[in-house]
Amino acid sequence: ETGVTQTPRHLVMGMTNKKSLKCEQHLGHNAMYWYKQSAKKPLELMFVYNFKEQTENNSVPSRFSPECPNSSHLFLHLHTLQPEDSALYLCASSQELGGNSPLHFGNGTRLTVT
Amino acid sequence: AQSVTQPDIHITVSEGASLELRCNYSYGATPYLFWYVQSPGQGLQLLLKYFSGDTLVQGIKGFEAEFKRSQSSFNLRKPSVHWSDAAEYFCAVSGGGYNKLIFGAGTRLAVHP
Protein backbone atom coordinates (compact mmCIF):
# COMPACT_ATOMS: atom_id res chain seq x y z
CA GLU A 1 0.00 0.00 0.00
CA THR A 2 1.37 3.33 -1.02
CA GLY A 3 1.67 6.06 1.60
CA VAL A 4 0.37 8.54 -0.98
CA THR A 5 -3.20 8.06 -2.16
CA GLN A 6 -4.65 9.72 -5.22
CA THR A 7 -8.28 9.85 -6.29
CA PRO A 8 -9.83 9.31 -8.70
CA ARG A 9 -7.62 6.83 -10.57
CA HIS A 10 -9.24 7.70 -13.86
CA LEU A 11 -11.10 10.82 -14.97
CA VAL A 12 -12.70 11.75 -18.26
CA MET A 13 -13.88 15.31 -18.63
CA GLY A 14 -15.04 17.65 -21.30
CA MET A 15 -13.32 20.92 -21.98
CA THR A 16 -16.02 22.92 -20.22
CA ASN A 17 -16.13 20.79 -17.07
CA LYS A 18 -14.68 21.56 -13.66
CA LYS A 19 -13.18 18.73 -11.69
CA SER A 20 -10.66 18.22 -8.91
CA LEU A 21 -7.90 15.72 -8.26
CA LYS A 22 -7.18 14.77 -4.68
CA CYS A 23 -3.98 13.60 -3.03
CA GLU A 24 -3.48 12.50 0.56
CA GLN A 25 -0.24 11.40 2.18
CA HIS A 26 -0.03 9.34 5.35
CA LEU A 27 3.74 9.66 5.82
CA GLY A 28 3.97 12.77 7.95
CA HIS A 29 5.82 14.60 5.20
CA ASN A 30 6.02 18.36 4.96
CA ALA A 31 6.37 18.88 1.21
CA MET A 32 3.95 17.90 -1.55
CA TYR A 33 4.18 18.07 -5.33
CA TRP A 34 2.15 17.78 -8.51
CA TYR A 35 3.80 16.27 -11.59
CA LYS A 36 2.45 15.78 -15.10
CA GLN A 37 3.49 12.70 -17.05
CA SER A 38 2.71 12.76 -20.77
CA ALA A 39 3.57 10.11 -23.30
CA LYS A 40 7.11 10.40 -24.65
CA LYS A 41 7.95 13.40 -22.47
CA PRO A 42 9.92 13.63 -19.24
CA LEU A 43 8.10 14.14 -15.99
CA GLU A 44 7.13 17.78 -15.59
CA LEU A 45 7.07 19.41 -12.18
CA MET A 46 3.97 21.60 -11.87
CA PHE A 47 3.65 22.80 -8.28
CA VAL A 48 5.49 22.47 -4.99
CA TYR A 49 4.12 23.08 -1.50
CA ASN A 50 6.11 23.18 1.71
CA PHE A 51 4.22 23.37 5.02
CA LYS A 52 1.08 24.30 3.04
CA GLU A 53 2.80 27.22 1.31
CA GLN A 54 3.33 27.17 -2.42
CA THR A 55 7.02 27.44 -3.19
CA GLU A 56 6.95 26.81 -6.91
CA ASN A 57 4.61 27.25 -9.85
CA ASN A 58 6.47 25.96 -12.86
CA SER A 59 4.77 28.23 -15.41
CA VAL A 60 1.60 26.17 -15.28
CA PRO A 61 -1.47 27.57 -17.11
CA SER A 62 -4.10 29.08 -14.86
CA ARG A 63 -6.63 26.43 -15.85
CA PHE A 64 -4.77 24.31 -13.27
CA SER A 65 -5.30 25.59 -9.75
CA PRO A 66 -3.65 23.86 -6.79
CA GLU A 67 -4.81 23.93 -3.21
CA CYS A 68 -3.03 22.67 -0.10
CA PRO A 69 -5.21 23.04 3.00
CA ASN A 70 -2.72 21.18 5.23
CA SER A 71 0.51 19.22 4.92
CA SER A 72 -1.36 15.96 4.31
CA HIS A 73 -3.74 17.01 1.54
CA LEU A 74 -3.20 18.44 -1.90
CA PHE A 75 -5.76 19.20 -4.58
CA LEU A 76 -5.55 20.12 -8.23
CA HIS A 77 -8.61 21.97 -9.48
CA LEU A 78 -9.20 21.72 -13.20
CA HIS A 79 -11.33 23.93 -15.47
CA THR A 80 -11.62 24.60 -19.19
CA LEU A 81 -8.89 22.11 -19.98
CA GLN A 82 -7.54 21.35 -23.43
CA PRO A 83 -7.09 17.93 -25.06
CA GLU A 84 -3.31 18.30 -24.71
CA ASP A 85 -3.80 18.31 -20.95
CA SER A 86 -4.64 14.61 -21.12
CA ALA A 87 -1.92 12.88 -19.11
CA LEU A 88 -1.12 11.01 -15.92
CA TYR A 89 -1.04 13.41 -12.99
CA LEU A 90 1.19 12.26 -10.18
CA CYS A 91 1.24 13.52 -6.64
CA ALA A 92 4.35 13.09 -4.51
CA SER A 93 5.52 13.98 -1.04
CA SER A 94 8.86 14.24 0.74
CA GLN A 95 9.90 14.66 4.34
CA GLU A 96 11.28 18.10 3.58
CA LEU A 97 12.42 20.27 0.73
CA GLY A 98 16.00 19.40 0.04
CA GLY A 99 18.02 17.44 -2.48
CA ASN A 100 18.49 14.50 -0.13
CA SER A 101 14.82 13.94 0.63
CA PRO A 102 13.43 11.28 -1.74
CA LEU A 103 9.99 11.63 -3.23
CA HIS A 104 7.20 9.18 -2.54
CA PHE A 105 4.66 8.99 -5.34
CA GLY A 106 1.00 8.10 -5.55
CA ASN A 107 -0.33 5.91 -8.33
CA GLY A 108 -1.60 8.87 -10.28
CA THR A 109 -4.83 10.03 -11.89
CA ARG A 110 -5.18 9.22 -15.58
CA LEU A 111 -6.93 12.25 -17.05
CA THR A 112 -8.56 12.27 -20.47
CA VAL A 113 -9.91 15.54 -21.83
CA THR A 114 -12.46 15.13 -24.61
CA ALA B 1 21.55 23.74 -15.55
CA GLN B 2 20.87 20.24 -14.34
CA SER B 3 19.98 17.62 -16.93
CA VAL B 4 19.66 13.87 -17.15
CA THR B 5 20.07 11.71 -20.23
CA GLN B 6 18.93 8.13 -20.54
CA PRO B 7 20.26 7.10 -23.95
CA ASP B 8 18.15 3.97 -24.30
CA ILE B 9 14.42 4.41 -24.81
CA HIS B 10 13.67 0.68 -24.97
CA ILE B 11 15.69 -2.33 -23.84
CA THR B 12 14.74 -5.97 -24.15
CA VAL B 13 16.51 -8.71 -22.21
CA SER B 14 15.89 -12.37 -21.59
CA GLU B 15 14.86 -13.53 -18.16
CA GLY B 16 17.95 -14.46 -16.17
CA ALA B 17 20.24 -12.21 -18.20
CA SER B 18 22.14 -9.31 -16.70
CA LEU B 19 20.94 -5.75 -17.10
CA GLU B 20 22.57 -2.35 -17.27
CA LEU B 21 20.55 0.83 -17.79
CA ARG B 22 22.54 3.93 -18.59
CA CYS B 23 22.19 7.35 -17.06
CA ASN B 24 24.31 10.44 -17.66
CA TYR B 25 23.81 13.66 -15.81
CA SER B 26 24.95 17.24 -15.97
CA TYR B 27 25.39 19.11 -12.72
CA GLY B 28 27.98 21.58 -11.51
CA ALA B 29 28.63 20.07 -8.09
CA THR B 30 28.23 16.67 -6.49
CA PRO B 31 24.68 15.65 -7.27
CA TYR B 32 22.12 13.64 -5.45
CA LEU B 33 21.19 10.77 -7.79
CA PHE B 34 18.18 8.52 -7.82
CA TRP B 35 16.67 5.64 -9.75
CA TYR B 36 12.92 5.15 -9.75
CA VAL B 37 10.83 2.38 -11.30
CA GLN B 38 7.30 2.68 -12.65
CA SER B 39 5.19 -0.40 -13.29
CA PRO B 40 2.18 -0.08 -15.60
CA GLY B 41 -0.66 1.84 -13.97
CA GLN B 42 1.46 2.72 -10.96
CA GLY B 43 3.34 5.68 -9.61
CA LEU B 44 7.11 5.84 -9.30
CA GLN B 45 8.89 3.81 -6.64
CA LEU B 46 12.36 4.64 -5.36
CA LEU B 47 14.88 1.90 -6.15
CA LEU B 48 18.02 3.49 -4.74
CA LYS B 49 19.78 6.78 -4.15
CA TYR B 50 23.29 8.17 -3.98
CA PHE B 51 24.19 11.11 -1.79
CA SER B 52 27.85 10.62 -0.88
CA GLY B 53 30.36 8.01 0.23
CA ASP B 54 30.62 4.58 -1.36
CA THR B 55 30.05 4.98 -5.07
CA LEU B 56 28.36 1.59 -5.40
CA VAL B 57 24.91 1.71 -3.86
CA GLN B 58 22.54 -1.13 -3.26
CA GLY B 59 18.80 -0.80 -3.68
CA ILE B 60 15.65 -2.80 -3.44
CA LYS B 61 14.73 -5.76 -5.66
CA GLY B 62 18.38 -6.71 -6.19
CA PHE B 63 19.35 -3.55 -8.07
CA GLU B 64 22.57 -1.62 -7.66
CA ALA B 65 24.02 1.49 -9.25
CA GLU B 66 27.49 2.93 -9.51
CA PHE B 67 28.33 6.63 -9.42
CA LYS B 68 31.23 7.51 -11.68
CA ARG B 69 32.13 11.16 -11.35
CA SER B 70 34.67 11.09 -14.19
CA GLN B 71 32.00 9.87 -16.59
CA SER B 72 29.08 11.79 -15.08
CA SER B 73 27.21 8.51 -14.99
CA PHE B 74 24.99 6.61 -12.60
CA ASN B 75 24.18 3.34 -14.33
CA LEU B 76 21.71 0.87 -12.89
CA ARG B 77 22.54 -2.84 -12.87
CA LYS B 78 21.02 -6.14 -11.95
CA PRO B 79 22.86 -9.47 -12.35
CA SER B 80 19.79 -11.56 -13.20
CA VAL B 81 16.56 -10.07 -14.47
CA HIS B 82 13.15 -11.45 -13.51
CA TRP B 83 10.00 -11.14 -15.61
CA SER B 84 8.53 -8.90 -12.89
CA ASP B 85 11.27 -6.32 -13.57
CA ALA B 86 9.51 -5.30 -16.79
CA ALA B 87 8.71 -1.63 -16.20
CA GLU B 88 9.92 1.86 -16.97
CA TYR B 89 13.00 3.11 -15.19
CA PHE B 90 13.78 6.74 -14.49
CA CYS B 91 17.06 8.28 -13.47
CA ALA B 92 16.86 11.61 -11.62
CA VAL B 93 19.28 14.22 -10.31
CA SER B 94 18.91 16.83 -7.61
CA GLY B 95 21.19 19.15 -5.78
CA GLY B 96 21.52 22.08 -3.49
CA GLY B 97 19.05 22.94 -0.80
CA TYR B 98 15.91 22.58 -2.86
CA ASN B 99 14.42 19.26 -3.82
CA LYS B 100 13.87 20.00 -7.49
CA LEU B 101 14.34 16.62 -9.06
CA ILE B 102 15.15 16.54 -12.75
CA PHE B 103 14.06 13.29 -14.38
CA GLY B 104 15.36 11.58 -17.46
CA ALA B 105 12.96 10.53 -20.17
CA GLY B 106 12.95 6.95 -18.96
CA THR B 107 13.98 3.54 -20.28
CA ARG B 108 11.28 0.97 -20.89
CA LEU B 109 12.46 -2.55 -20.07
CA ALA B 110 10.87 -5.62 -21.62
CA VAL B 111 11.76 -9.10 -20.36
CA HIS B 112 11.47 -12.15 -22.62
CA PRO B 113 10.80 -15.52 -20.99
PDB file of all heavy atoms in Angstrom, chain A residues 11 19 21-22 32-33 35 41 58 61 69 73 76-77 81 86-88 91 93 97 101-103 112-114:
ATOM      1  N   LEU A  11     -10.142   9.725 -14.844  1.00  0.00           N
ATOM      2  CA  LEU A  11     -11.097  10.821 -14.973  1.00  0.00           C
ATOM      3  C   LEU A  11     -11.207  11.208 -16.441  1.00  0.00           C
ATOM      4  O   LEU A  11     -10.186  11.436 -17.097  1.00  0.00           O
ATOM      5  CB  LEU A  11     -10.632  12.025 -14.152  1.00  0.00           C
ATOM      6  CG  LEU A  11     -11.501  13.279 -14.206  1.00  0.00           C
ATOM      7  CD1 LEU A  11     -12.890  13.001 -13.656  1.00  0.00           C
ATOM      8  CD2 LEU A  11     -10.844  14.416 -13.422  1.00  0.00           C
ATOM      9  N   LYS A  19     -13.399  19.903 -12.522  1.00  0.00           N
ATOM     10  CA  LYS A  19     -13.184  18.731 -11.686  1.00  0.00           C
ATOM     11  C   LYS A  19     -11.979  18.988 -10.792  1.00  0.00           C
ATOM     12  O   LYS A  19     -11.208  19.929 -11.010  1.00  0.00           O
ATOM     13  CB  LYS A  19     -12.907  17.483 -12.549  1.00  0.00           C
ATOM     14  CG  LYS A  19     -14.059  17.053 -13.434  1.00  0.00           C
ATOM     15  CD  LYS A  19     -15.161  16.426 -12.636  1.00  0.00           C
ATOM     16  CE  LYS A  19     -16.259  15.895 -13.567  1.00  0.00           C
ATOM     17  NZ  LYS A  19     -17.404  15.323 -12.808  1.00  0.00           N
ATOM     18  N   LEU A  21      -8.689  16.898  -8.636  1.00  0.00           N
ATOM     19  CA  LEU A  21      -7.905  15.723  -8.260  1.00  0.00           C
ATOM     20  C   LEU A  21      -7.508  15.870  -6.797  1.00  0.00           C
ATOM     21  O   LEU A  21      -7.192  16.982  -6.341  1.00  0.00           O
ATOM     22  CB  LEU A  21      -6.645  15.612  -9.117  1.00  0.00           C
ATOM     23  CG  LEU A  21      -6.815  15.706 -10.629  1.00  0.00           C
ATOM     24  CD1 LEU A  21      -5.472  15.459 -11.310  1.00  0.00           C
ATOM     25  CD2 LEU A  21      -7.881  14.776 -11.128  1.00  0.00           C
ATOM     26  N   LYS A  22      -7.495  14.738  -6.103  1.00  0.00           N
ATOM     27  CA  LYS A  22      -7.176  14.765  -4.676  1.00  0.00           C
ATOM     28  C   LYS A  22      -5.969  13.893  -4.391  1.00  0.00           C
ATOM     29  O   LYS A  22      -5.796  12.818  -4.992  1.00  0.00           O
ATOM     30  CB  LYS A  22      -8.358  14.269  -3.856  1.00  0.00           C
ATOM     31  CG  LYS A  22      -8.116  14.227  -2.351  1.00  0.00           C
ATOM     32  CD  LYS A  22      -9.317  13.668  -1.605  1.00  0.00           C
ATOM     33  CE  LYS A  22      -9.041  13.556  -0.110  1.00  0.00           C
ATOM     34  NZ  LYS A  22     -10.186  12.970   0.624  1.00  0.00           N
ATOM     35  N   MET A  32       4.783  18.633  -0.600  1.00  0.00           N
ATOM     36  CA  MET A  32       3.954  17.899  -1.555  1.00  0.00           C
ATOM     37  C   MET A  32       4.091  18.517  -2.945  1.00  0.00           C
ATOM     38  O   MET A  32       4.366  19.722  -3.071  1.00  0.00           O
ATOM     39  CB  MET A  32       2.488  17.886  -1.114  1.00  0.00           C
ATOM     40  CG  MET A  32       2.262  17.147   0.208  1.00  0.00           C
ATOM     41  SD  MET A  32       0.537  16.897   0.625  1.00  0.00           S
ATOM     42  CE  MET A  32       0.103  15.536  -0.486  1.00  0.00           C
ATOM     43  N   TYR A  33       3.885  17.691  -3.955  1.00  0.00           N
ATOM     44  CA  TYR A  33       4.180  18.073  -5.331  1.00  0.00           C
ATOM     45  C   TYR A  33       3.099  17.555  -6.283  1.00  0.00           C
ATOM     46  O   TYR A  33       2.523  16.482  -6.054  1.00  0.00           O
ATOM     47  CB  TYR A  33       5.506  17.451  -5.789  1.00  0.00           C
ATOM     48  CG  TYR A  33       6.669  17.606  -4.843  1.00  0.00           C
ATOM     49  CD1 TYR A  33       6.763  16.836  -3.682  1.00  0.00           C
ATOM     50  CD2 TYR A  33       7.695  18.515  -5.117  1.00  0.00           C
ATOM     51  CE1 TYR A  33       7.838  16.972  -2.816  1.00  0.00           C
ATOM     52  CE2 TYR A  33       8.772  18.641  -4.258  1.00  0.00           C
ATOM     53  CZ  TYR A  33       8.835  17.872  -3.111  1.00  0.00           C
ATOM     54  OH  TYR A  33       9.896  18.012  -2.260  1.00  0.00           O
ATOM     55  N   TYR A  35       3.051  16.504 -10.357  1.00  0.00           N
ATOM     56  CA  TYR A  35       3.795  16.273 -11.590  1.00  0.00           C
ATOM     57  C   TYR A  35       2.818  15.887 -12.694  1.00  0.00           C
ATOM     58  O   TYR A  35       1.806  15.241 -12.447  1.00  0.00           O
ATOM     59  CB  TYR A  35       4.791  15.120 -11.441  1.00  0.00           C
ATOM     60  CG  TYR A  35       6.078  15.458 -10.742  1.00  0.00           C
ATOM     61  CD1 TYR A  35       6.177  15.409  -9.358  1.00  0.00           C
ATOM     62  CD2 TYR A  35       7.211  15.814 -11.466  1.00  0.00           C
ATOM     63  CE1 TYR A  35       7.370  15.707  -8.713  1.00  0.00           C
ATOM     64  CE2 TYR A  35       8.409  16.111 -10.837  1.00  0.00           C
ATOM     65  CZ  TYR A  35       8.486  16.048  -9.456  1.00  0.00           C
ATOM     66  OH  TYR A  35       9.663  16.334  -8.833  1.00  0.00           O
ATOM     67  N   LYS A  41       7.360  12.185 -23.011  1.00  0.00           N
ATOM     68  CA  LYS A  41       7.949  13.400 -22.465  1.00  0.00           C
ATOM     69  C   LYS A  41       8.431  13.121 -21.056  1.00  0.00           C
ATOM     70  O   LYS A  41       7.834  12.316 -20.341  1.00  0.00           O
ATOM     71  CB  LYS A  41       6.926  14.538 -22.442  1.00  0.00           C
ATOM     72  CG  LYS A  41       6.516  15.036 -23.812  1.00  0.00           C
ATOM     73  CD  LYS A  41       5.462  16.117 -23.714  1.00  0.00           C
ATOM     74  CE  LYS A  41       6.008  17.380 -23.121  1.00  0.00           C
ATOM     75  NZ  LYS A  41       5.004  18.482 -23.120  1.00  0.00           N
ATOM     76  N   ASN A  58       5.544  26.114 -11.748  1.00  0.00           N
ATOM     77  CA  ASN A  58       6.470  25.963 -12.860  1.00  0.00           C
ATOM     78  C   ASN A  58       5.826  26.399 -14.169  1.00  0.00           C
ATOM     79  O   ASN A  58       5.730  25.613 -15.110  1.00  0.00           O
ATOM     80  CB  ASN A  58       6.944  24.504 -12.923  1.00  0.00           C
ATOM     81  CG  ASN A  58       8.252  24.362 -13.650  1.00  0.00           C
ATOM     82  OD1 ASN A  58       9.015  25.307 -13.767  1.00  0.00           O
ATOM     83  ND2 ASN A  58       8.532  23.170 -14.135  1.00  0.00           N
ATOM     84  N   PRO A  61      -0.311  26.743 -16.708  1.00  0.00           N
ATOM     85  CA  PRO A  61      -1.466  27.566 -17.107  1.00  0.00           C
ATOM     86  C   PRO A  61      -2.479  27.693 -15.976  1.00  0.00           C
ATOM     87  O   PRO A  61      -2.640  26.776 -15.158  1.00  0.00           O
ATOM     88  CB  PRO A  61      -2.049  26.789 -18.294  1.00  0.00           C
ATOM     89  CG  PRO A  61      -0.924  25.964 -18.811  1.00  0.00           C
ATOM     90  CD  PRO A  61      -0.075  25.630 -17.634  1.00  0.00           C
ATOM     91  N   PRO A  69      -4.629  22.569   1.741  1.00  0.00           N
ATOM     92  CA  PRO A  69      -5.209  23.044   3.003  1.00  0.00           C
ATOM     93  C   PRO A  69      -4.386  22.664   4.230  1.00  0.00           C
ATOM     94  O   PRO A  69      -4.476  23.347   5.264  1.00  0.00           O
ATOM     95  CB  PRO A  69      -6.577  22.347   3.029  1.00  0.00           C
ATOM     96  CG  PRO A  69      -6.410  21.142   2.158  1.00  0.00           C
ATOM     97  CD  PRO A  69      -5.428  21.530   1.095  1.00  0.00           C
ATOM     98  N   HIS A  73      -2.790  17.012   2.649  1.00  0.00           N
ATOM     99  CA  HIS A  73      -3.736  17.007   1.541  1.00  0.00           C
ATOM    100  C   HIS A  73      -3.330  18.016   0.472  1.00  0.00           C
ATOM    101  O   HIS A  73      -2.910  19.141   0.780  1.00  0.00           O
ATOM    102  CB  HIS A  73      -5.149  17.332   2.018  1.00  0.00           C
ATOM    103  CG  HIS A  73      -5.736  16.277   2.899  1.00  0.00           C
ATOM    104  ND1 HIS A  73      -5.506  16.241   4.262  1.00  0.00           N
ATOM    105  CD2 HIS A  73      -6.515  15.199   2.607  1.00  0.00           C
ATOM    106  CE1 HIS A  73      -6.141  15.192   4.776  1.00  0.00           C
ATOM    107  NE2 HIS A  73      -6.755  14.551   3.800  1.00  0.00           N
ATOM    108  N   LEU A  76      -5.797  19.429  -6.962  1.00  0.00           N
ATOM    109  CA  LEU A  76      -5.551  20.120  -8.230  1.00  0.00           C
ATOM    110  C   LEU A  76      -6.903  20.344  -8.887  1.00  0.00           C
ATOM    111  O   LEU A  76      -7.564  19.393  -9.306  1.00  0.00           O
ATOM    112  CB  LEU A  76      -4.634  19.294  -9.130  1.00  0.00           C
ATOM    113  CG  LEU A  76      -4.147  19.986 -10.404  1.00  0.00           C
ATOM    114  CD1 LEU A  76      -3.304  21.220 -10.061  1.00  0.00           C
ATOM    115  CD2 LEU A  76      -3.339  19.022 -11.274  1.00  0.00           C
ATOM    116  N   HIS A  77      -7.323  21.608  -8.906  1.00  0.00           N
ATOM    117  CA  HIS A  77      -8.614  21.970  -9.484  1.00  0.00           C
ATOM    118  C   HIS A  77      -8.428  22.252 -10.973  1.00  0.00           C
ATOM    119  O   HIS A  77      -7.500  22.960 -11.371  1.00  0.00           O
ATOM    120  CB  HIS A  77      -9.193  23.187  -8.763  1.00  0.00           C
ATOM    121  CG  HIS A  77      -9.332  23.001  -7.283  1.00  0.00           C
ATOM    122  ND1 HIS A  77     -10.123  22.022  -6.726  1.00  0.00           N
ATOM    123  CD2 HIS A  77      -8.747  23.667  -6.247  1.00  0.00           C
ATOM    124  CE1 HIS A  77     -10.046  22.085  -5.402  1.00  0.00           C
ATOM    125  NE2 HIS A  77      -9.213  23.073  -5.085  1.00  0.00           N
ATOM    126  N   LEU A  81     -10.123  22.746 -19.515  1.00  0.00           N
ATOM    127  CA  LEU A  81      -8.892  22.109 -19.984  1.00  0.00           C
ATOM    128  C   LEU A  81      -8.912  21.896 -21.493  1.00  0.00           C
ATOM    129  O   LEU A  81      -9.962  21.963 -22.139  1.00  0.00           O
ATOM    130  CB  LEU A  81      -8.695  20.767 -19.279  1.00  0.00           C
ATOM    131  CG  LEU A  81      -8.446  20.814 -17.771  1.00  0.00           C
ATOM    132  CD1 LEU A  81      -8.007  19.446 -17.273  1.00  0.00           C
ATOM    133  CD2 LEU A  81      -7.413  21.861 -17.411  1.00  0.00           C
ATOM    134  N   SER A  86      -4.475  16.036 -21.426  1.00  0.00           N
ATOM    135  CA  SER A  86      -4.637  14.609 -21.117  1.00  0.00           C
ATOM    136  C   SER A  86      -3.274  14.026 -20.765  1.00  0.00           C
ATOM    137  O   SER A  86      -2.306  14.166 -21.526  1.00  0.00           O
ATOM    138  CB  SER A  86      -5.216  13.867 -22.325  1.00  0.00           C
ATOM    139  OG  SER A  86      -6.505  14.356 -22.648  1.00  0.00           O
ATOM    140  N   ALA A  87      -3.207  13.387 -19.610  1.00  0.00           N
ATOM    141  CA  ALA A  87      -1.922  12.877 -19.112  1.00  0.00           C
ATOM    142  C   ALA A  87      -2.163  12.122 -17.808  1.00  0.00           C
ATOM    143  O   ALA A  87      -3.291  12.057 -17.307  1.00  0.00           O
ATOM    144  CB  ALA A  87      -0.943  14.024 -18.861  1.00  0.00           C
ATOM    145  N   LEU A  88      -1.097  11.584 -17.272  1.00  0.00           N
ATOM    146  CA  LEU A  88      -1.123  11.010 -15.923  1.00  0.00           C
ATOM    147  C   LEU A  88      -0.627  12.079 -14.965  1.00  0.00           C
ATOM    148  O   LEU A  88       0.474  12.617 -15.149  1.00  0.00           O
ATOM    149  CB  LEU A  88      -0.229   9.768 -15.849  1.00  0.00           C
ATOM    150  CG  LEU A  88      -0.188   9.046 -14.510  1.00  0.00           C
ATOM    151  CD1 LEU A  88      -1.543   8.398 -14.203  1.00  0.00           C
ATOM    152  CD2 LEU A  88       0.919   7.987 -14.502  1.00  0.00           C
ATOM    153  N   CYS A  91       0.979  12.785  -7.874  1.00  0.00           N
ATOM    154  CA  CYS A  91       1.238  13.521  -6.640  1.00  0.00           C
ATOM    155  C   CYS A  91       2.418  12.858  -5.933  1.00  0.00           C
ATOM    156  O   CYS A  91       2.598  11.627  -6.018  1.00  0.00           O
ATOM    157  CB  CYS A  91       0.002  13.489  -5.761  1.00  0.00           C
ATOM    158  SG  CYS A  91       0.198  14.219  -4.123  1.00  0.00           S
ATOM    159  N   SER A  93       5.195  13.281  -2.274  1.00  0.00           N
ATOM    160  CA  SER A  93       5.519  13.984  -1.039  1.00  0.00           C
ATOM    161  C   SER A  93       6.954  13.658  -0.642  1.00  0.00           C
ATOM    162  O   SER A  93       7.524  12.654  -1.099  1.00  0.00           O
ATOM    163  CB  SER A  93       4.559  13.598   0.092  1.00  0.00           C
ATOM    164  OG  SER A  93       4.769  12.254   0.496  1.00  0.00           O
ATOM    165  N   LEU A  97      11.787  19.792   1.950  1.00  0.00           N
ATOM    166  CA  LEU A  97      12.418  20.271   0.731  1.00  0.00           C
ATOM    167  C   LEU A  97      13.918  20.131   0.906  1.00  0.00           C
ATOM    168  O   LEU A  97      14.474  20.525   1.920  1.00  0.00           O
ATOM    169  CB  LEU A  97      12.078  21.728   0.479  1.00  0.00           C
ATOM    170  CG  LEU A  97      10.690  22.048  -0.060  1.00  0.00           C
ATOM    171  CD1 LEU A  97      10.583  23.532  -0.341  1.00  0.00           C
ATOM    172  CD2 LEU A  97      10.373  21.257  -1.296  1.00  0.00           C
ATOM    173  N   SER A 101      16.085  14.437   0.104  1.00  0.00           N
ATOM    174  CA  SER A 101      14.817  13.943   0.635  1.00  0.00           C
ATOM    175  C   SER A 101      14.040  13.290  -0.501  1.00  0.00           C
ATOM    176  O   SER A 101      13.432  13.985  -1.317  1.00  0.00           O
ATOM    177  CB  SER A 101      14.021  15.103   1.243  1.00  0.00           C
ATOM    178  OG  SER A 101      12.897  14.637   1.963  1.00  0.00           O
ATOM    179  N   PRO A 102      14.063  11.960  -0.595  1.00  0.00           N
ATOM    180  CA  PRO A 102      13.433  11.283  -1.739  1.00  0.00           C
ATOM    181  C   PRO A 102      11.939  11.532  -1.809  1.00  0.00           C
ATOM    182  O   PRO A 102      11.268  11.741  -0.789  1.00  0.00           O
ATOM    183  CB  PRO A 102      13.729   9.806  -1.476  1.00  0.00           C
ATOM    184  CG  PRO A 102      14.887   9.795  -0.555  1.00  0.00           C
ATOM    185  CD  PRO A 102      14.737  11.023   0.289  1.00  0.00           C
ATOM    186  N   LEU A 103      11.418  11.477  -3.009  1.00  0.00           N
ATOM    187  CA  LEU A 103       9.995  11.626  -3.233  1.00  0.00           C
ATOM    188  C   LEU A 103       9.280  10.285  -3.112  1.00  0.00           C
ATOM    189  O   LEU A 103       9.813   9.247  -3.518  1.00  0.00           O
ATOM    190  CB  LEU A 103       9.730  12.202  -4.630  1.00  0.00           C
ATOM    191  CG  LEU A 103      10.288  13.575  -4.940  1.00  0.00           C
ATOM    192  CD1 LEU A 103       9.867  14.022  -6.323  1.00  0.00           C
ATOM    193  CD2 LEU A 103       9.843  14.580  -3.903  1.00  0.00           C
ATOM    194  N   THR A 112      -8.282  12.164 -19.039  1.00  0.00           N
ATOM    195  CA  THR A 112      -8.559  12.273 -20.466  1.00  0.00           C
ATOM    196  C   THR A 112      -9.510  13.433 -20.677  1.00  0.00           C
ATOM    197  O   THR A 112     -10.588  13.484 -20.083  1.00  0.00           O
ATOM    198  CB  THR A 112      -9.196  10.983 -21.008  1.00  0.00           C
ATOM    199  OG1 THR A 112      -8.322   9.877 -20.725  1.00  0.00           O
ATOM    200  CG2 THR A 112      -9.409  11.080 -22.512  1.00  0.00           C
ATOM    201  N   VAL A 113      -9.090  14.374 -21.519  1.00  0.00           N
ATOM    202  CA  VAL A 113      -9.912  15.542 -21.829  1.00  0.00           C
ATOM    203  C   VAL A 113     -10.489  15.360 -23.223  1.00  0.00           C
ATOM    204  O   VAL A 113      -9.736  15.183 -24.199  1.00  0.00           O
ATOM    205  CB  VAL A 113      -9.080  16.835 -21.763  1.00  0.00           C
ATOM    206  CG1 VAL A 113      -9.977  18.045 -22.061  1.00  0.00           C
ATOM    207  CG2 VAL A 113      -8.431  16.973 -20.399  1.00  0.00           C
ATOM    208  N   THR A 114     -11.803  15.376 -23.308  1.00  0.00           N
ATOM    209  CA  THR A 114     -12.460  15.131 -24.605  1.00  0.00           C
ATOM    210  C   THR A 114     -13.037  16.417 -25.187  1.00  0.00           C
ATOM    211  O   THR A 114     -13.234  17.404 -24.475  1.00  0.00           O
ATOM    212  CB  THR A 114     -13.581  14.107 -24.463  1.00  0.00           C
ATOM    213  OG1 THR A 114     -14.545  14.627 -23.542  1.00  0.00           O
ATOM    214  CG2 THR A 114     -13.042  12.780 -23.917  1.00  0.00           C
TER     215      THR A 114
END
